[in-house]
Amino acid sequence: LITALALAESDGDRLTEAELVSTCVLLLNAGHEATVNALGNGLWALFRQADQLARLRADPALIPTAIEELLRYDTPVQLFRRWVLTDLTYNGIDFTRGMEVALLFGGANHDPAVFAQPDQLDLARTPNPHISFGGGVHYCLGAPLARLELGIAFAALLARCPRLALAETPQYHPAFVIRGLTALNVTV
């Protein structure tokens, strides 16, 4: 990815060294924080729902859909802020240019108008139109890498630690934008 960014060119323009470095820092920080919390939140959800953990252990082919469901069920990025660019009315609410709005990904991922039984963890849920990676022009650049990392991590943990179990109940960080655990202590 970094090589592709360094070599990217549009109409003769390339990223400056400062732009490349700042983009790499953004990718590292954003990707690391979200992926670590997705893994912790996902494992915590599986430990609380033993039937789903047993299902995944019995059928590792479920890992791709399980990742999507775990991201939907307890997304690490709960909230994003955006600014209104054009005056508009949506569902009877007036928004004016410059207003700041909060998008609650965690709430949207549990919308009963979109998801059947939204508070139930279903590792085979399809379709699964969660918005954990955002959407449109704001879709997460690192989504494919996050999915790859999570797939490798879950596959390795399930294969190498067949008796992986929760050692103690974890606590969430006291934050409202990034949702993640302070620690996830397990036994192997």
Side-chain angles (χ1 to χ4, degrees):
L1 175 60
I2 294 170
T3 299
L5 286 170
L7 297 175
E9 183 179 324
S10 177
D11 297 328
D13 290 332
R14 298 178 87 153
L15 293 174
T16 67
E17 182 177 346
E19 290 169 332
L20 183 59
V21 168
S22 64
T23 300
C24 290
V25 168
L26 171 70
L27 290 171
L28 177 63
N29 288 333
H32 171 76
E33 190 75 19
T35 304
V36 165
N37 288 312
L39 181 60
N41 294 353
L43 285 170
W44 173 223
L46 290 169
F47 288 138
R48 287 179 289 155
Q49 305 208 22
D51 62 322
Q52 293 296 302
L53 178 55
R55 183 180 186 189
L56 190 57
R57 283 179 167 149
D59 186 6
L62 277 174
I63 288 175
T65 58
I67 289 167
E68 300 304 316
E69 177 66 354
L70 292 167
L71 286 165
R72 181 203 67 84
Y73 187 76
D74 193 1
T75 186
V77 180
Q78 290 285 311
L79 175 143
F80 254 100
R81 297 180 307 177
R82 296 288 182 249
W83 287 264
V84 177
L85 300 178
T86 305
D87 294 350
L88 68 114
T89 299
Y90 181 78
N91 279 351
I93 300 171
D94 293 325
F95 295 90
T96 58
R97 180 180 168 85
M99 286 179 73
E100 186 176 11
V101 294
L103 308 172
L104 302 175
F105 291 2
N109 283 342
H110 286 261
D111 184 347
V114 177
F115 300 97
Q117 300 176 318
D119 295 328
Q120 178 180 325
L121 182 66
D122 176 4
L123 299 184
R125 184 185 298 269
T126 58
N128 192 340
H130 69 81
I131 61 165
S132 297
F133 290 120
V137 297
H138 296 287
Y139 189 75
C140 177
L141 176 65
L145 178 59
R147 286 182 170 111
L148 178 65
E149 290 172 331
L150 290 168
I152 291 168
F154 279 109
L157 282 169
L158 293 172
R160 295 179 185 169
C161 305
R163 293 188 309 261
L164 187 69
L166 187 64
E168 63 185 56
T169 302
Q171 299 295 315
Y172 283 95
H173 284 288
F176 62 89
V177 175
I178 300 289
R179 181 172 165 83
L181 305 172
T182 57
L184 185 63
N185 294 317
V186 298
T187 59
V188 292

